[in-house]
Amino acid sequence: MMNKDNYKRLGHYIQLIDVRNKALEVNNLLGLSIEKKFISSTANTIDTNLSLCKIVQSQQYGYGAVTCRNSNKITIVQYDGEILAIENTTNLIMKFYLLIKLALGQVLGW
């Protein structure tokens, strides 16, 4: 049995990433689905400032806070694409350290 003295805050294993598309170098706009997938955005991007969107790289994760408010699911999705993509500014982009990635994989069935 684990002792609470050995617990560490989840923040020790997660690094938030906030790299914006300031140079407008990326135009592959993605969103997160409640099926835990990165999907092509269906948003109307006319007059949208894509420089505010966050750049997502392979092996980074997206977290959609809206889904946990609106359903009983937590959307955490790993991006496996080979090209850079941009994501909605309301979602968090993060990098998990290996230990937490393995633990989450066991818990979430990845």
Side-chain angles (χ1 to χ4, degrees), residues 83-102:
I83 60 171
L84 295 176
I86 52 176
E87 223 298 305
N88 183 323
T89 60
T90 60
N91 295 319
L92 296 176
I93 305 302
M94 60 194 114
K95 184 176 193 176
F96 288 119
Y97 293 96
L98 183 59
L99 292 174
I100 195 69
K101 181 179 173 184
L102 292 174

Side-chain angles (χ1 to χ4, degrees), residues 34 46 52 72 88 98:
I34 60 171
I46 296 172
L52 298 176
N72 60 356
N88 183 323
L98 183 59

Side-chain angles (χ1 to χ4, degrees), residues 4-21:
K4 281 191 175 184
D5 294 335
N6 295 331
Y7 286 5
K8 290 189 176 153
R9 295 178 59 84
L10 194 55
H12 290 278
Y13 301 101
I14 297 174
Q15 175 187 2
L16 291 178
I17 308 292
D18 192 0
V19 178
R20 302 293 172 133
N21 191 33

Side-chain angles (χ1 to χ4, degrees), residues 41 52 59-60 65 84 88 110:
S41 177
L52 298 176
Q59 306 304 307
Q60 291 180 342
L84 295 176
N88 183 323
W110 292 344

